[in-house]
Amino acid sequence: MSNGFLDIATTPSVLAAQAANGSAGLYDKVVAKRSSNRFSETEAAFIAARDSFYMASVSESGWPYVQHRGGPPGFLKLIDETTLAFPDFRGNRQYISLGNVSVENRVALILMDYPRRRRLKLYARIEARDLVADPILAAQIALPDYRGLVERAFVLRLEAFDWNCPQHITPRLTEAEIAAASARLTERLAELEAENKRLRATLSQ
Ligand SMILES: Cc1cc2nc3c(=O)[nH]c(=O)nc-3n(C[C@H](O)[C@H](O)[C@H](O)COP(=O)(O)O)c2cc1C
């Protein structure tokens, strides 16, 4: 049976490490259930809610390079069940990922949902695409309300994904999530402050 993600990750040296540490064959059945080379609705919903991810590329000198990518929620678009795309915003203009993927198109991504303690990791082949040459793709990744200048699109062809376990993920909330979670408290505080003000006014009369 195919193990999807682990078919790629489990190289001969990894197999040797597993054998040396007593875990050879441990994941043969388990991983097949949560790993696939096609996104389902579960992954689609998870990806649509993300406002950032980490992407590792490999340089021609063999060094891995990890970069954080961020934008409005949903900026990483699911184009179809095996394709993702995202806008490459102009930033520090080092173009390290762009240079790396021009010679080695294999990348690894990790997507985090801190509040729900979920993470999705995936392997993909990436391609930088010119937006003027591909107006359909440009429309698919367009973010009219975002301030970032889009220099190009990156298109990712999924090789395999895997859901990680929640161990050691500390729940963290964004400012917007904290505001939503504490909205009722803020409202109640305002009510009490107003009431306090009224009572003080009454007492002083
Ligand atoms: C002015 C400015 C704006 C940036 N805007 C973004 C952004 O919208 N999204 C993002 O992920 N990184 C942004 N960055 C950070 C990095 O420049 C960006 O991640 C870059 O594309 C990484 O490319 P690299 O592969 O060379 O590391 C910004 C940086 C600067 C200086």
Side-chain angles (χ1 to χ4, degrees):
M1 190 189 291
S2 166
N3 273 343
F5 194 91
L6 282 190
D7 283 349
I8 297 172
T10 313
T11 58
S13 55
V14 172
L15 276 177
Q18 291 175 354
N21 288 276
S23 69
L26 191 67
Y27 283 90
D28 285 357
K29 287 180 185 146
V30 182
V31 174
K33 287 183 200 157
R34 61 181 194 193
S35 175
S36 173
N37 56 9
R38 275 174 202 281
F39 294 121
S40 72
E41 286 185 6
T42 304
E43 288 77 38
F46 181 85
I47 292 164
R50 304 280 62 78
D51 63 2
S52 68
F53 59 89
Y54 303 92
M55 183 174 83
S57 56
V58 184
S59 76
E60 65 228 276
S61 57
W63 281 100
Y65 175 75
V66 184
Q67 178 57 274
H68 170 271
R69 295 281 171 158
F75 82 108
L76 178 62
K77 298 264 185 231
L78 192 74
I79 305 293
D80 61 41
E81 60 182 1
T82 58
T83 312
L84 294 166
F86 69 92
D88 188 19
F89 301 114
R90 173 168 292 178
N92 57 13
R93 306 189 79 187
Q94 293 183 347
Y95 300 112
I96 300 172
S97 305
L98 180 65
N100 284 351
V101 304
S102 70
V103 288
E104 171 53 76
N105 71 1
R106 289 175 292 184
V107 292
L109 272 65
I110 187 155
L111 282 60
M112 301 295 304
D113 177 350
Y114 289 103
R116 287 163 205 81
R117 304 179 69 224
R118 292 191 300 166
R119 65 187 152 179
L120 181 68
K121 57 185 185 181
L122 61 92
Y123 283 128
R125 291 189 183 267
I126 193 168
E127 187 193 341
R129 292 261 282 271
D130 183 77
L131 293 168
V132 178
D134 196 338
I136 295 173
L137 179 62
Q140 283 172 312
I141 62 156
L143 298 162
D145 300 328
Y146 191 61
R147 55 176 167 70
L149 173 70
V150 182
E151 292 193 327
R152 66 192 58 75
F154 279 119
V155 175
L156 298 147
R157 305 277 174 211
L158 179 69
E159 291 281 335
F161 69 79
D162 190 16
W163 285 97
N164 264 173
C165 74
Q167 288 251 18
H168 308 298
I169 303 176
T170 306
R172 291 183 171 90
L173 297 173
T174 63
E175 280 178 350
E177 287 162 343
I178 291 170
S182 56
R184 181 62 198 124
L185 283 177
T186 312
E187 210 176 279
R188 185 75 186 122
L189 187 62
E191 285 167 10
L192 291 172
E193 279 175 348
E195 186 183 305
N196 194 32
K197 201 173 165 189
R198 278 198 306 278
L199 291 172
R200 279 176 184 275
T202 313
L203 279 176
S204 67
Q205 278 165 13

